Every structure is written in C-alpha cells, then in structure tokens.
Amino acid sequence: MNVHDSEKIAGIFAESGHEESTGKGDADVIVLNTCSIREKAEHKFYSDLGRLKKAKANNPDLKIAVAGCIAQQEGKKLFKRFPYIDFVFGPNNIDSLQTLINGNALATLKRHQPTFIDVNPDYPSMVLPVKRAGEVKAWVSIMYGCDNFCSYCVVPYTRGRERSRPSTDIYKEAEKLAAEGFKEINLLGQNVNSYGRKLDEDIDFPALLYKLHEIEGIERIRFVTSHPKDFSEKLIEAMRDLPKVCKHMHLPVQAGSDNVLALMNRKYTYKEYKEKIDLLKSNIPEIAITTDIIVGFPGETDEDFRLTMKALSEIEYDGIFAFKYSKRPGTKALELPDHVDEDNKSERLSEVQKLQENITYNKNKLLEGRTVEILVEGASDADKEKLTGRTTTNKIVNYYGGSSDIGKLINVKILDAKMHSLSGEKR
Ligand code: 5AD
Ligand code: SF4
C-alpha cells in the first residue's frame, strides 16, 4: 500500500516537472512516506528523520515533508518535536501535494503551516498521476481505509473508513496500463472482499474481477488483501473460472486459537477459516496459499500458540509473513491483560518460522522437474545475468534468457528449488 502511495507522490512531482534526485544530497525536497503498522517501522522513520536534521542544517532551503500513517497519527505534534519538518500530509491527502506544488507553495513553505491530515471525502474519486517502478506489473488501488478494527491494528485509525473507488475509474486505469504495455495488475485494498459495499453502483469484488478480465493486454490479475470473514464462495468461483486471475490467495489467519482470534476481533473461528481453505483447495487444486501470523498477542498462552503451530502444519501454506505482536497507539489490544514478554515472543516467532521454512522448502522441491509458466519481469536482483519472473502461484523463478522475454509469458523447467526462489531453464 505504501509502496504504491510513494509511486503517487513521485507521480505528482514528475507531473509538475520535478526530477528524481541522485540521492547524494542534491534534493530540494525530501518526502518520508511512513508506515506505522508495527513499532519497528516507526523506529526506522525516527532514525531517518534524525539524519535529515543535519541535511537541513547544511541546506536551509531543503524542504522536508512527512507523509503516510505516522503523519496521520502524529499530525501537528511532529512540528513541535521536529521543527525542521516543513509539511505533513496523511495517506488520504496525497493530492494536497499537487495543490502545494502548483501554487508553488513548496518554495515558500514556512514551518508550522497547516497539515493535511483530515479525512478527505473526495480522495477515493481522485485520479492521481503515478510514477510506476516497473514496466510489467502495476499496483492499482481499488479501495482505501478499513472498517474492521482488528484490536491490534492501527490502520482504521490512520487510513480512515473503508471507501471504494468507482469501478469505471479502476477500469480506465487498468485499460491505460494495458495500452502502456503492462501485463499484470495487482489490485490493492485492506479488505478487497468488501469492495463496492458503500458505492452507489451495484458491484462487488468478483464482479470487478469479471469486468477487469475483459481488458485486452492485461494477462494477469492479482489482489491483496482478503479478510477471511468476507472471503466468499463467489470469489473462489471467479478465481477458478477466470484464467487471468492468478492462482494465489493471501488469506491472513493471524492465529490458530479461537480465544486469541476473539480477542483480536477477527470475527471468525479457526474452523470457519479452515472450511474456506478446504473449499478453495477443492475448487482450485493448484492454488498457492499464504498468510500472516501474529505471535505473542496479549493473553496468548502456550496452548494457544500450539494451535497456531497446528494450523500451519494442517494447512501447509506456501509461505507466511510472521510478526511479533507490537503495541500500537490507540488500539484496543493495548488495554488487554497478560501481555507476553519479549523473549517469549521471539521464541515463538522463531519456532513458527522454522516450521514454515520446512513446509515451504518441501513444497518448492515438489516443483523440480516440472515445467511452469512465468511472467518475466526483468533482470534478477540476485544474479544480473539471469531473468526473473513469477508463476501464477507467485513463486519466483530465475533463468537464463534474453531481454526480449521481458513482459512475456514463458515456459520454464524447474531444475533447482530453494527456500525463496526456484531456478530453471527455458523450454
Ligand atoms: N503487531 C504485529 N503485527 C501486526 N500486523 C498488523 N498490526 C500488527 C501489530 N500491532 C500484521 C498483521 C497484518 C499484517 C499486515 O501486519 O498480521 O495482517
Ligand atoms: Fe488492520 Fe484488520 Fe483492517 Fe487488516 S482487516 S487493515 S488487520 S484492521
């Protein structure tokens, strides 16, 4: 979400004639686009900001802006604590940068000027310029905010209420991407399954997928993230029946214990979650499934934790993102009793990761000798001699190929499977 927000910020600068700096101290403006999902992300921002104090002392004309969820959370307080910040805007007000630059206010901006952190009701229907990082795959926002209020999560407070973009705007953006040569779109929302709920149009997420599927040139469609409580049979059928929709489902379970799930305010039991997974697997046997896990949530006992481990063994995810519970300002979980100590959290995290590494590795090994189709994205980061792409199931495949392969669907035979990637040869 934040990566794509940064692409919008860059898009606004590019449209108004600004160029990207070399990153070697030649910038006139620096925007820190912040994340506050966990404490670690916040720490990173504050240490980056500390470094910028020096840069500002060396160059008083340098403008420093803070964007994203910390900007929303802290608002004007940031000016007080860090008087060298010039401008603050939240994730619902990225367009404010446009107004500011067009009025050339950026050049004359003074400290302690108004911040742009109020929820802007027009934001979902705005079409902002985007400077995209790649040429094959593109992020497309379909909705903003979240109404779920999971008790650990800061997002509903920083990104505001859930609002969907009109489907015609999304369609036009995808059509434009196709015309520009993009092959894959990745639809973004905190809970894509509730897409359309508050729109005047009669549309839901599966219907949006059918609509976007018509666009010629777009070969693949992905989406993140789905909330298990809203994950429907209708969506499973759309994924099964629409060939461009990738066979990968990211469905955050968070925990395997019903006690913990209730404390998290997730609104499903493990059994209900598992039934949806079984339905998904029976409809789409080749589906890859990934999840998010939080360990050490307040009140999580050893027994509760065992149930998370059991869930991982039972479901056999293709991959997981696992986190230690992190206290977030303003959230309900802060007030819960029995917070788990840091050592215990770390132990649980490494146990979860160890178990999953085995599962992921064994799953990848099964692909050795098989031929898979990948969408080629460009040179591999790890080995510039090789190209990299992904299978429909979102597995990374590296192989030797020519640059004319980039942007194409290519068949590759898997020779060697590792934990995080596969290597193969072109067929
Ligand atoms: N602590 C730890 N992990 C969190 N997540 C969200 N909030 C927290 C928190 N306070 C994780 C959830 C979510 C993912 C995006 O981040 O697992 O699915
Ligand atoms: Fe946070 Fe829950 Fe909303 Fe996801 S669904 S953004 S975890 S509140």
Side-chain angles (χ1 to χ4, degrees):
M1 199 74 66
N2 256 32
V3 167
H4 186 42
D5 281 349
S6 293
E7 290 183 336
K8 292 177 189 169
I9 293 169
I12 293 173
F13 276 116
E15 196 181 51
S16 62
H18 291 77
E19 277 170 33
E20 211 168 303
S21 77
T22 62
K24 292 181 185 142
D26 61 337
D28 299 311
V29 191
I30 296 176
V31 183
L32 293 173
N33 188 20
T34 62
C35 171
S36 64
I37 193 84
R38 282 171 295 274
E39 221 173 349
K40 211 163 143 190
E42 262 196 63
H43 285 159
K44 196 163 173 285
F45 159 65
Y46 287 113
S47 69
D48 285 349
L49 190 59
R51 272 197 293 277
L52 288 186
K53 186 177 183 180
K54 232 192 214 152
K56 182 93 171 192
N58 291 338
N59 172 14
D61 292 335
L62 172 67
K63 301 293 174 198
I64 296 175
V66 180
C69 287
I70 301 178
Q72 189 70 34
Q73 199 175 285
E74 301 298 317
K76 286 183 184 155
K77 280 188 274 175
L78 284 170
F79 289 132
K80 278 221 176 84
R81 282 180 65 194
F82 309 98
Y84 51 99
I85 294 175
D86 294 283
F87 188 56
V88 172
F89 61 102
N92 276 307
N93 292 282
I94 295 176
D95 60 294
S96 66
L97 202 54
Q98 224 164 11
T99 327
L100 210 75
I101 299 172
N102 292 345
N104 207 18
L106 218 46
T108 54
L109 198 66
K110 297 261 171 23
R111 281 184 342 191
H112 305 289
Q113 286 210 330
T115 55
F116 287 83
I117 55 166
D118 296 333
V119 170
N120 176 356
D122 297 330
Y123 190 69
S125 54
M126 285 179 177
V127 179
L128 296 179
V130 184
K131 189 163 180 263
R132 300 192 186 264
E135 288 164 357
V136 179
K137 303 194 295 184
W139 301 107
V140 176
S141 300
I142 64 164
M143 59 208 295
Y144 302 109
C146 181
D147 284 352
N148 286 315
F149 291 93
C150 301
S151 64
Y152 50 81
C153 184
V154 80
V155 169
Y157 306 96
T158 57
R159 289 188 176 262
R161 296 288 59 73
E162 179 186 293
R163 288 140 302 136
S164 297
R165 283 180 73 197
S167 70
T168 43
D169 287 0
I170 299 169
Y171 189 88
K172 273 188 215 150
E173 183 171 341
E175 237 179 1
K176 187 165 167 258
L177 287 167
E180 287 167 3
F182 286 90
K183 302 289 181 228
E184 178 177 306
I185 52 173
N186 200 333
L187 310 176
L188 278 175
Q190 305 293 348
N191 179 18
V192 295
N193 302 122
S194 58
Y195 173 77
R197 232 171 243 179
K198 297 180 197 166
L199 282 176
D200 292 335
E201 327 171 31
D202 181 21
I203 192 161
D204 59 9
F205 185 59
L208 180 71
L209 288 178
Y210 273 93
K211 197 168 163 163
L212 296 174
H213 201 267
E214 290 166 7
I215 299 174
E216 224 170 286
I218 296 298
E219 310 270 7
R220 280 182 170 188
I221 304 174
R222 297 184 188 275
F223 54 87
V224 272
T225 293
S226 301
H227 193 300
K229 78 175 161 58
D230 301 313
F231 182 52
S232 65
E233 196 166 346
K234 197 172 163 196
L235 177 57
I236 294 177
E237 285 163 7
M239 288 179 80
R240 181 194 64 198
D241 298 341
L242 294 172
K244 290 181 183 178
V245 175
C246 289
K247 306 302 177 243
H248 169 220
M249 183 70 206
H250 183 65
L251 200 62
V253 66
Q254 311 296 1
S257 149
D258 290 345
N259 293 339
V260 173
L261 288 172
L263 289 171
M264 286 178 165
N265 193 30
R266 290 290 286 178
K267 302 189 180 88
Y268 54 83
T269 60
Y270 175 66
K271 185 165 173 275
E272 287 163 345
Y273 177 92
K274 177 72 170 36
E275 278 166 9
K276 291 191 181 184
I277 293 284
D278 291 343
L279 191 66
L280 179 63
K281 285 180 176 171
S282 65
N283 272 275
I284 313 170
E286 76 269 37
I287 193 85
I289 306 171
T290 55
T291 202
D292 291 344
I293 298 282
I294 297 178
V295 298
F297 187 77
E300 185 185 73
T301 61
D302 277 335
E303 259 167 41
D304 291 322
F305 175 65
R306 289 297 135 211
L307 292 171
T308 296
M309 293 288 281
K310 187 166 164 248
L312 294 186
S313 306
E314 232 167 45
I315 294 173
E316 296 196 304
Y317 291 104
D318 291 79
I320 64 167
F321 297 96
F323 313 102
K324 290 191 267 187
Y325 166 72
S326 167
K327 291 181 181 168
R328 299 290 68 216
T331 58
K332 288 260 160 59
L334 269 185
E335 296 147 30
L336 289 173
D338 304 323
H339 279 252
V340 177
D341 68 60
E342 212 43 44
D343 286 350
N344 211 340
K345 279 192 221 172
S346 301
E347 267 170 38
R348 288 179 187 174
L349 182 68
S350 59
E351 234 189 287
V352 154
Q353 282 168 336
K354 226 168 109 196
L355 170 63
Q356 185 57 43
E357 276 171 15
N358 270 323
I359 297 172
T360 300
Y361 184 68
N362 289 337
K363 284 207 147 189
N364 286 352
K365 275 280 167 206
L366 292 177
L367 291 171
E368 284 182 356
R370 278 186 48 191
T371 296
V372 295
E373 186 186 64
I374 62 168
L375 175 62
V376 184
E377 294 167 18
S380 155
D381 277 341
D383 179 353
K384 292 280 173 226
E385 302 283 293
K386 284 186 173 179
L387 291 177
T388 190
R390 283 177 192 251
T391 62
T392 179
T393 52
N394 211 32
K395 308 223 184 244
I396 298 170
V397 180
N398 300 316
Y399 74 103
Y400 290 107
S403 58
S404 62
D405 286 358
I406 296 171
K408 291 196 182 125
L409 290 164
I410 299 276
N411 285 325
V412 175
K413 183 176 174 189
I414 303 302
L415 301 176
D416 187 26
K418 297 189 197 67
M419 182 78 71
H420 300 292
S421 67
L422 309 164
S423 53
E425 67 182 7
K426 196 169 163 180
R427 295 268 65 198

